[in-house]
Amino acid sequence: MSAEDYKISLLGIPIVNVSMESSKNALSFHTETLGMFHYIWPVDNHYFTQYDSISFGIRQYTKTIHQGSYKGELNCTFEPNGSQLNYNRQSVDVVDSVQNIFTLLARVSYQSVEYLDTKWYPMNHEGASYRARFVWAGNETVDINDVDIVCDHYRLDIEEIDGPSIQVTPDDYFTDHVASTDALRQIWVEQSGKRRIIKASVSIYGMTVTAELQNK
């Protein structure tokens, strides 16, 4: 099990802390607002995904949402006999290797540029059919805590496609916007060593939200 901490900033202002724990076949996120944002509209959300260690296909996905006075839970499991995802007792047909945003983050930390670049993956995002791919944009050095880290820089494309779809709840800020067709998603992954995600950003509606690794 490894753990990394990230700080998310909007217009250079820190707004959210994220802790990420990962193992061979699971990824867990905890997000919590900071400072005045926490007093104005507190967010305390948890996301957990378990996946197949070879295909990175979803096997279990849960989230617990607490945004202001709004609370909710989502439980999703993969049913291999019918090749379906069951979201809070609603089922949707998928392929065995179906991804979500979290399995994609796990995948980019384990697999090489040569394997990933421009390859489309089936994706189910909160009950709807999508496809996703990483497009390599070259090598880039990122300064984190005065340490220069050479990274593989990717653009992450996510497109909604025709296919089985269901409406699931609860909603939350992150999943509502991360798959938007208007969003530009970028990710910087440590080129060697642990291949940690060093930095990620989402640009949408003229604003850019950036997450940066806090521990060296």
Side-chain angles (χ1 to χ4, degrees), residues 111-172:
Q111 296 181 322
S112 67
V113 168
E114 292 77 15
Y115 187 88
L116 287 172
D117 190 28
T118 71
K119 185 181 296 183
W120 287 106
Y121 297 100
M123 180 181 183
N124 189 278
H125 182 69
E126 305 293 295
S129 294
Y130 285 76
R131 65 175 187 167
R133 69 176 179 180
F134 291 100
V135 179
W136 187 62
N139 298 328
E140 190 171 321
T141 300
V142 179
D143 182 343
I144 298 293
N145 301 325
D146 296 323
V147 176
D148 288 336
I149 302 173
V150 179
C151 295
D152 288 319
H153 177 200
Y154 296 92
R155 186 185 77 231
L156 173 56
D157 295 337
I158 299 177
E159 297 179 358
E160 190 167 9
I161 60 173
D162 291 335
S165 179
I166 57 173
Q167 192 76 32
V168 301
T169 56
D171 301 323
D172 67 278

Side-chain angles (χ1 to χ4, degrees), residues 65-127:
I65 303 304
H66 187 184
Q67 297 176 166
S69 60
Y70 176 65
K71 296 182 180 181
E73 292 187 3
L74 177 67
N75 292 287
C76 173
T77 55
F78 177 70
E79 299 175 352
N81 291 339
S83 196
Q84 294 178 322
L85 287 175
N86 186 315
Y87 287 95
N88 285 356
R89 297 181 296 280
Q90 291 188 85
S91 293
V92 60
D93 293 335
V94 294
V95 295
D96 180 83
S97 59
V98 67
Q99 309 287 291
N100 68 9
I101 186 63
F102 300 105
T103 66
L104 290 169
L105 294 178
R107 181 185 284 278
V108 78
S109 297
Y110 281 98
Q111 296 181 322
S112 67
V113 168
E114 292 77 15
Y115 187 88
L116 287 172
D117 190 28
T118 71
K119 185 181 296 183
W120 287 106
Y121 297 100
M123 180 181 183
N124 189 278
H125 182 69
E126 305 293 295

